[in-house]
Amino acid sequence: MNTTAEATVHIFGVRHLSPAGAKHLLDVMEQVRPTAVLIEGPQDASPEIRHLTNPNTKPPVAILAFTDELPVRTAMWPFAVYSPEYQAMLWAAGNGAHCAFIDLPTSAVLALQSVRSEDVPDLVEEAERENDRHSPDVPALEADLPNEGLNEQEASIYQRIAALAGEQDYDMYWERHYEHNMSPGAYQQAILAFSEQMRALTEPMESSLKRTEYAYNAVREAYMLRQIQETIAAGHQPDKIVVVCGAYHAAALANGLNAMSDEELAALPTRSSKLTLMPYSYYRLSSMSGYGAGNNAPHYYELMWEHITAGTLDQLPEHYLSRAARLLREAGTHRSTAEVIEAVRLAQSLAALHNGSAPTLLDLRDAARTLLGQGELGAVAEALARLDVGTAIGSLAEGVSQTPIQDDLNRLLRQLKLEKYKTTVAADLALDLRENRRVKSEEARFLDLKRSTLFHRLQLLGISLAKYRGSGQEQATWAEHWVIQWTPEVEIEVVESTLLGETIEVACAFVLQQKLQECTSIDEAAKLIRTACECALLTQMDAARQVLQHIAADSQDVVQMGAAAHELSMIIRYGDVRRMDTTPLEPLLAQLFLRASLFLLDASSCNDEASAAMLSAINQLNSIALEHQEQVEDELWIQQLTELARRDDRNPRLSGFACAILLERNILSASQCAEEVSRRLSPGIPADIGAGWFEGLSMRNRYALLSRMSLWEQLNAYIESLDDEEFRRALVFLRRSFSTFNPSEKVMIAEILGELWGIEPEEVEEALGGELKEDEADMLEQLNDFDFEDF
């Protein structure tokens, strides 16, 4: 408590997530009965205090600030129920006191984010000269900015303190000496002494970055002092003002020097910004997530807060260990009451060894591991994680300080009955997009379809609430499987999307339009058509169709046209399920299919590496020809396949594959196939050509091939005609082709070839199985330079 002649403002330094700090602060406020409560936090967020103290707001919650222009920058100030700042707000609201945040406004915080990593500006240099006793950085336990960690010197200071106190880490030191200290007035005095000593220990560093951090803190403290002076000028008596700040800043504010001048205030850099409130989670509040001002066990400290407020702090060890035993029992591991009692005694003994008045979290965890886990941490790890960190998520009163897009998402979650999935625990959700005829209302009949549309829209916006995990059923275009999980990052992603539009639908339309303007390839345009369909954006789907049509008009890329045609085919197939009119896409599908067919022969004059993509394209185009015979020119496709199957100057694997398709579709007769096999596998044909062709042939209609003994006799005769080097090359293609067969097919091949070669089937399997060796891969690489047109 400041008792200088100039000011008697009550400065109360805290650790931002300190149950004991919150309790002692409330005691001081009850004693002082302040008319003004000033809290370290963004000054322009003061109007949000009434929302934070709304009875329907349940911590953990956070203030989120963001720039209202791209690129988006964000900053966050989270609160737990046991945060001293939050309890100060509640006291002020309940006692009619003026309450305000007094730290730099968010516009300056966001602007200084980039400044802090660059050269120190004039304003900061001036603050540095005036505050040369200040620390170069905010210690992690009092850090105000999100995700701010320790530098090496600070880490060593905290480690030294822990080592001198005989504690394993600084958190345990803090808990044993501060959280367990219930003596009236002792906490506040200890914090002020701590602040002065820490500021004396941490001297300004020479590096530009650390000097910038040091000066940044000085600017903040100067601004907070200015806010305190303005509060006094507004008519509040100094001794009726309580200031709640991070312990590190307490000594500087208590000195009451170097308040920010008008000129310095005008010189503050700013970025246009907005702010909102958002629910938060205990995991994100924990130091485990990287939050520098977090603690290692938010839920444990909530339990401590409950016991402190109930006056039963001495019962915390029994409560903690009995709940751990209960969680173990629920998981199927029985632990007796006697073991819990012994664990409590052990924790108390461990505390006594450190001259502590009560067990710390580390003492409790050691006792749980020894007695409840019988020495094995793994046996109790999950239960302790639930007890220490927890899965709690806060909530806000409906309509409280939300951006329009947040309001829209919350409305959609309620409308689609998805609110129960707003949890940190991942949940599976299977959707059936078909109409549910067992219900009466339109909304209920297509509930899953509307859910799917929302999830796809969120994916387009980069909002990670729902992750797609496939259909769950082969070829079931009406089925989708999603995993739903809410995290604070989701809320941040939603807020960042507010720059794209005021609703989810409008933002999606904007993003899709941007992607269309940047689109330069056929397959990308086709994927955007599918995205528009999945997101139920009719206008953008038509725009994407026009973009694809324009790009495809001059394309000769069969691979891309095949992929795009496949996308359109899928959209047309499930268009009815999504209740989308896909009729305008049918002429585009026909156009892509026609161009791909016409350029098939030219594209098939490719090397071995490119043939893999061409095989996929041919497969896709043939499927389209079978499924959309009324929309595409199947006759032209058959003509082109027939020409490819007959040509010797095209990639042999593709020619063989075309032959297999014709055989499968009964366009190539058995006798014609036998003639082609005889021609392709005749003596004198290089192994690269003959065995490569057979590889393509064997990729389809395998059971029909396996039943043709004459084919295998012809293959055997061809292989016997090869010299040793050619045989080795042929074996590469055979091994690659057989590697794609299933186990039963491999057995049949081994038996056939074993009979022809006069060896055991197992030897055949060994010869044809396994991964390609390095020298065999080199042979395939050489084939990439082979000119089939010269053959």
Side-chain angles (χ1 to χ4, degrees):
M1 184 178 299
N2 192 323
T3 58
T4 63
E6 180 185 347
T8 56
V9 173
H10 301 271
I11 306 297
F12 199 100
V14 297
R15 190 180 191 185
H16 291 312
L17 294 168
S18 169
K23 173 62 169 62
H24 289 303
L25 173 61
L26 291 178
D27 290 343
V28 167
M29 295 176 78
E30 284 295 333
Q31 175 187 348
V32 174
R33 307 297 298 178
T35 60
V37 178
L38 307 181
I39 300 170
E40 181 186 317
Q43 178 268 332
D44 53 328
S46 293
E48 304 301 328
I49 292 175
R50 63 188 178 91
H51 297 311
L52 288 167
T53 56
N54 186 304
N56 294 320
T57 294
K58 305 299 180 187
V61 292
I63 299 169
L64 172 65
F66 57 97
T67 54
D68 57 5
E69 58 185 19
L70 296 173
V72 176
R73 286 185 176 273
T74 62
M76 206 156 6
W77 292 261
F79 304 97
V81 68
Y82 53 84
S83 294
E85 300 90 341
Y86 180 71
Q87 289 299 320
M89 288 183 248
L90 291 179
W91 189 95
N95 290 274
H98 168 70
C99 189
F101 291 120
I102 59 170
D103 204 347
L104 290 173
T106 57
S107 58
V109 171
L110 293 169
L112 288 169
Q113 277 189 358
S114 55
V115 172
R116 291 164 66 199
S117 60
E118 299 170 358
D119 291 336
V120 184
D122 293 340
L123 170 66
V124 180
E125 287 180 346
E126 179 63 26
E128 183 179 5
R129 286 193 295 271
E130 293 182 355
N131 296 273
D132 57 7
R133 289 177 56 249
H134 293 179
S135 164
D137 196 49
V138 184
L141 71 158
E142 280 84 35
D144 306 293
L145 292 177
N147 301 321
E148 191 166 29
L150 295 174
N151 61 45
E152 291 181 5
Q153 182 183 5
E154 289 169 336
S156 66
I157 290 171
Y158 290 119
Q159 290 167 0
R160 283 165 52 199
I161 292 173
L164 289 171
E167 299 290 352
Q168 177 171 311
D169 57 41
Y170 185 78
D171 275 342
M172 293 307 101
Y173 160 79
W174 181 273
E175 182 182 353
R176 201 180 306 278
H177 291 83
Y178 292 91
E179 300 301 335
H180 295 168
N181 185 350
M182 291 292 106
S183 300
Y187 183 96
Q188 186 180 10
Q189 295 173 7
I191 287 292
L192 279 173
F194 169 85
S195 178
E196 292 174 348
Q197 292 167 7
M198 287 297 293
R199 296 175 76 92
L201 281 172
T202 53
E203 298 176 355
M205 298 293 97
E206 293 299 325
S207 74
S208 173
L209 176 60
K210 292 176 182 178
R211 291 176 65 243
T212 303
E213 289 294 338
Y214 149 68
Y216 172 68
N217 291 327
V219 171
R220 292 175 56 207
E221 290 161 355
Y223 187 88
M224 286 191 276
L225 284 168
R226 180 186 178 93
Q227 296 299 304
I228 294 171
Q229 291 181 356
E230 289 182 356
T231 304
I232 296 173
H236 293 277
Q237 294 298 316
D239 63 347
K240 288 296 182 180
I241 298 174
V242 170
V243 177
V244 184
C245 64
Y248 175 78
H249 305 293
L253 298 186
N255 289 334
L257 303 174
N258 304 321
M260 184 173 287
S261 66
D262 293 343
E263 293 77 13
E264 291 169 338
L265 179 64
L268 273 177
T270 62
R271 281 194 67 179
S272 181
S273 64
K274 295 180 179 179
L275 56 83
T276 183
L277 299 183
M278 59 174 281
Y280 216 57
S281 73
Y282 269 168
Y283 173 74
R284 286 294 299 164
L285 202 62
S286 73
S287 53
M288 291 173 57
S289 71
Y291 173 49
N295 59 46
N296 57 350
H299 183 255
Y300 166 74
Y301 285 108
E302 181 186 355
L303 295 178
M304 180 184 289
W305 168 248
E306 292 171 355
H307 280 282
I308 287 176
T309 54
T312 58
L313 183 58
D314 58 329
Q315 297 177 16
L316 178 59
E318 292 94 323
H319 187 186
Y320 180 90
L321 291 166
S322 61
R323 288 189 65 172
R326 187 183 308 122
L327 290 172
L328 289 173
R329 293 185 192 118
E330 290 173 357
T333 302
H334 179 72
R335 288 295 179 261
S336 68
T337 304
E339 288 172 302
V340 174
I341 294 172
E342 288 303 313
V344 172
R345 289 175 176 169
L346 176 58
Q348 292 170 337
S349 298
L350 292 173
L353 289 174
H354 290 88
N355 297 317
S357 61
T360 64
L361 176 61
L362 181 61
D363 298 332
L364 295 173
R365 288 178 62 89
D366 285 345
R369 174 178 181 173
T370 303
L371 275 303
L372 303 183
Q374 298 178 352
E376 295 293 332
L377 178 60
V380 295
E382 183 177 351
L384 296 185
R386 292 175 62 183
L387 268 176
D388 295 350
V389 179
T391 59
I393 295 177
S395 62
L396 298 169
E398 185 173 349
V400 166
S401 187
Q402 298 280 287
T403 60
I405 200 167
Q406 285 175 292
D407 285 335
D408 185 53
L409 178 58
N410 289 332
R411 177 186 63 80
L412 290 169
L413 293 177
R414 289 193 303 272
Q415 177 184 327
L416 302 178
K417 298 178 173 58
L418 292 169
E419 286 184 297
K420 65 180 180 180
Y421 295 102
K422 200 172 182 181
T423 169
T424 55
V425 179
D428 291 325
L429 181 60
L431 301 182
D432 186 336
L433 309 189
R434 298 171 296 186
E435 180 180 3
N436 183 359
R437 299 182 182 275
R438 294 172 294 179
V439 295
K440 294 182 179 180
S441 71
E442 175 84 4
E443 192 70 30
R445 285 204 301 272
F446 296 100
L447 178 63
D448 277 3
L449 175 58
K450 292 180 182 295
R451 287 172 166 178
S452 171
T453 299
L454 173 62
F455 293 159
H456 282 290
R457 287 177 176 179
L458 294 178
Q459 280 198 327
L460 177 60
L461 292 176
I463 298 171
S464 54
L465 174 63
K467 295 180 176 62
Y468 184 58
R469 291 294 183 261
S471 68
Q473 300 188 40
E474 188 175 356
Q475 300 299 320
T477 56
W478 48 264
E480 288 184 347
H481 176 211
W482 296 83
V483 175
I484 319 298
Q485 185 177 23
W486 187 93
T487 64
E489 285 80 6
V490 169
E491 199 84 37
I492 295 171
E493 291 160 358
V494 175
V495 170
E496 289 177 347
S497 297
T498 197
L499 302 182
L500 307 174
E502 294 191 347
T503 67
I504 298 293
E505 182 175 359
V506 171
C508 283
F510 177 80
V511 170
L512 199 53
Q513 193 61 43
Q514 281 191 319
K515 290 180 178 292
L516 286 172
Q517 291 173 358
E518 299 167 358
C519 179
T520 57
S521 66
I522 294 175
D523 56 343
E524 182 185 357
K527 290 175 182 176
L528 291 177
I529 293 177
R530 184 168 182 174
T531 298
C533 180
E534 292 168 337
C535 294
L537 299 171
L538 290 173
T539 302
Q540 283 66 39
M541 189 170 90
D542 187 62
R545 177 188 60 80
Q546 295 177 29
V547 169
L548 174 55
Q549 195 165 25
H550 175 74
I551 298 175
D554 299 320
S555 177
Q556 298 181 16
D557 191 327
V558 174
V559 172
Q560 283 205 15
M561 286 188 285
H566 174 70
E567 288 286 352
L568 295 182
S569 172
M570 292 293 294
I571 297 169
I572 293 170
R573 282 177 58 195
Y574 64 64
D576 289 343
V577 175
R578 291 196 172 272
R579 306 181 75 203
M580 298 283 285
D581 181 14
T582 58
T583 305
L585 299 179
E586 293 178 2
L588 183 55
L589 174 65
Q591 176 189 344
L592 285 172
F593 185 86
L594 174 63
R595 291 188 65 82
S597 298
L598 293 175
F599 289 104
L600 176 65
L601 285 177
D602 289 342
S604 296
S605 181
C606 61
N607 60 26
D608 185 72
E609 182 180 5
S611 68
M614 277 297 297
L615 284 168
S616 177
I618 293 172
N619 198 42
Q620 290 170 333
L621 291 166
N622 189 63
S623 296
I624 293 170
L626 293 171
E627 294 173 7
H628 302 276
Q629 290 188 348
E630 295 182 359
Q631 287 88 25
V632 303
E633 295 189 35
D634 185 45
E635 185 176 344
L636 173 64
W637 173 246
I638 294 300
Q639 291 176 0
Q640 297 301 105
L641 278 181
T642 302
E643 181 67 13
L644 175 59
R646 146 187 110 70
R647 293 283 286 268
D648 296 333
D649 57 349
R650 295 296 181 263
N651 186 288
R653 190 153 63 139
L654 300 182
S655 295
F657 191 67
C659 189
I661 292 177
L662 296 173
L663 182 65
E664 188 177 275
R665 295 188 60 174
N666 295 319
I667 295 167
L668 190 69
S669 67
S671 59
Q672 289 173 322
C673 179
E675 292 175 3
E676 190 65 14
V677 170
S678 178
R679 185 174 75 85
R680 294 280 187 173
L681 300 181
S682 59
I685 300 295
D688 298 342
I689 306 300
W693 180 87
F694 179 81
E695 180 187 356
L697 179 69
S698 66
M699 296 179 77
R700 294 182 72 99
N701 204 19
R702 288 170 174 171
Y703 281 105
L705 295 178
L706 289 171
S707 64
R708 285 181 167 83
M709 191 64 184
S710 59
L711 182 150
W712 299 100
E713 290 173 345
Q714 184 67 36
L715 175 65
N716 179 53
Y718 171 70
I719 290 175
E720 288 182 345
S721 72
L722 301 175
D723 59 29
D724 290 346
E725 179 60 26
E726 286 289 294
F727 174 76
R728 289 181 62 247
R729 296 184 70 83
L731 197 59
V732 173
F733 293 93
L734 295 178
R735 290 181 64 185
R736 188 171 68 175
S737 61
F738 292 151
S739 67
T740 63
F741 282 64
N742 65 43
S744 62
E745 291 170 342
K746 289 179 179 179
V747 170
M748 294 177 66
I749 294 171
E751 290 176 349
I752 292 172
L753 293 179
E755 182 180 344
L756 291 172
W757 293 348
I759 60 177
E760 293 298 322
E762 291 78 9
E763 295 180 65
V764 177
E765 285 193 74
E766 183 178 350
L768 297 180
E771 297 291 331
L772 292 179
K773 300 176 182 177
E774 185 176 348
D775 60 337
E776 295 172 337
D778 290 341
M779 293 181 189
L780 293 178
E781 187 67 29
Q782 295 169 15
L783 190 58
N784 289 330
D785 300 324
F786 191 90
D787 191 346
F788 296 105
E789 294 186 0
D790 293 339
F791 171 68

